Amino acid sequence: MSSLAARRRSPLALLVLLLLGLTFTGTAYAAFAPKAAPGTSAATATQDDVEAGEQLFLANCATCHGKNAQGVDPIGPSLIGVGAASVDFQVSTGRMPLPAPGVQAERNASQVQFSEEQISQLAAYVDSLGPGPDVPDEEYLDLEGADIANGGALYRTNCAMCHNSSGTGGALTRGKYAPTLMGVEPQHIYEAMLTGPQSMPVFNDENLTPQDKENVIAFLKYIEDGGNSHGGAGLGSVGPAGDALFVWTIGIGVMIAAAVWIGRKAA
């Protein structure tokens, strides 16, 4: 019994227990962790696509991001591990290549410089350097069967403080802003949630599931189509601020005018 107890107190026993614990934890996480939504990445692209994407990258992106996409401080960040979704979002919306240095890259459809095929090739090349979020699958972009009410609740909890309660955008600090979400393609809204561009936080599939993201997009499209209009003057659809401005400028003005009129009549 004494020899058995001595073996139990051996430092090797602690090491074995740690290894067993780590192995069990890793296996359990791999089995039960939420699965990412299927989509486009280097894994689904051909080697020809990756090679074509590399040539496009060297010709159009390497000046700011480096020949190996390692980043050029302070011009452009590293792109290793950002994934195909980030590339598709930035390039498809005309934010990249950046036309000129600025506080924030702006969406501009007229500045898109590549075809859809070329954007997919660029995304495949960057994703091949280090895996990241994939371009979302069409299953989560068709909005069929989406829960608009749940999407509205999720939007108000996670997004409205920056993008406004009606998705029209809002000001941030240091000259930055949260852009309007009206007129934005569902794929780009999904990719923004997935990658967290610029000042936006990342909402990965553990924060918001793919179905949650689809619900949020469905809610935004519901607003865009006028579903949030309940009649009367829209006042710019900027939420309570518009109502307060109306009451202050018109309502208070009318009350002051009435008070002056009553005072003159009394005199």
Side-chain angles (χ1 to χ4, degrees):
M1 291 296 291
S2 60
S3 61
L4 180 60
R7 284 197 295 273
R8 286 178 178 172
R9 290 193 295 268
S10 172
L12 291 177
L14 179 60
L15 179 60
V16 170
L17 286 175
L18 285 173
L19 289 174
L20 288 174
L22 289 172
T23 301
F24 175 79
T25 303
T27 303
Y29 180 83
F32 297 107
K35 298 294 188 284
T40 302
S41 68
T44 60
T46 66
Q47 185 59 33
D48 288 341
D49 288 332
V50 174
E51 292 176 357
E54 181 179 10
Q55 295 306 311
L56 289 168
F57 179 88
L58 292 173
N60 299 277
C61 315
T63 301
C64 295
H65 294 287
K67 292 183 178 180
N68 298 312
Q70 79 280 6
V72 177
D73 188 46
I75 304 174
S78 170
L79 299 182
I80 298 174
V82 301
S86 181
V87 176
D88 186 80
F89 172 81
Q90 297 289 351
V91 180
S92 294
T93 58
R95 289 177 167 87
M96 294 290 162
L98 193 65
V103 175
Q104 183 167 325
E106 298 184 2
R107 177 169 68 99
N108 191 336
S110 65
Q111 291 182 355
V112 178
Q113 300 182 20
F114 305 100
S115 66
E116 291 186 10
E117 181 183 11
Q118 289 174 320
I119 294 172
S120 296
Q121 291 169 342
L122 263 175
Y125 168 66
V126 172
D127 191 71
S128 70
L129 302 175
D134 294 345
V135 173
D137 189 81
E138 288 294 331
E139 175 187 355
Y140 300 104
L141 302 176
D142 59 15
L143 308 184
E144 185 176 348
D147 187 338
I148 295 176
N150 177 255
L154 291 170
Y155 176 84
R156 288 186 290 272
T157 301
N158 298 281
C159 319
M161 66 284 295
C162 293
H163 290 282
N164 194 289
S165 60
S166 54
T168 54
L172 301 176
T173 58
R174 301 180 183 274
K176 298 180 180 180
Y177 64 93
T180 178
L181 300 177
M182 300 295 98
V184 181
E185 292 293 326
Q187 178 167 325
H188 298 152
I189 299 176
Y190 192 111
E191 290 170 341
M193 288 188 280
L194 197 60
T195 62
Q198 299 180 110
S199 300
M200 184 171 170
V202 173
F203 296 98
N204 59 34
D205 289 342
E206 294 183 19
N207 303 130
L208 293 178
T209 66
Q211 185 59 58
D212 288 338
K213 293 182 177 69
E214 182 179 10
N215 293 342
V216 170
I217 296 170
F219 170 71
L220 290 171
K221 292 305 172 185
Y222 171 77
I223 292 178
E224 187 177 312
D225 294 338
N228 203 37
S229 176
H230 303 292
L235 299 177
S237 296
V238 294
D243 299 336
L245 181 64
F246 176 82
V247 170
W248 181 256
T249 57
I250 305 299
I252 297 298
V254 170
M255 293 179 66
I256 292 174
V260 171
W261 180 78
I262 292 173
R264 286 183 175 179
K265 293 287 289 183

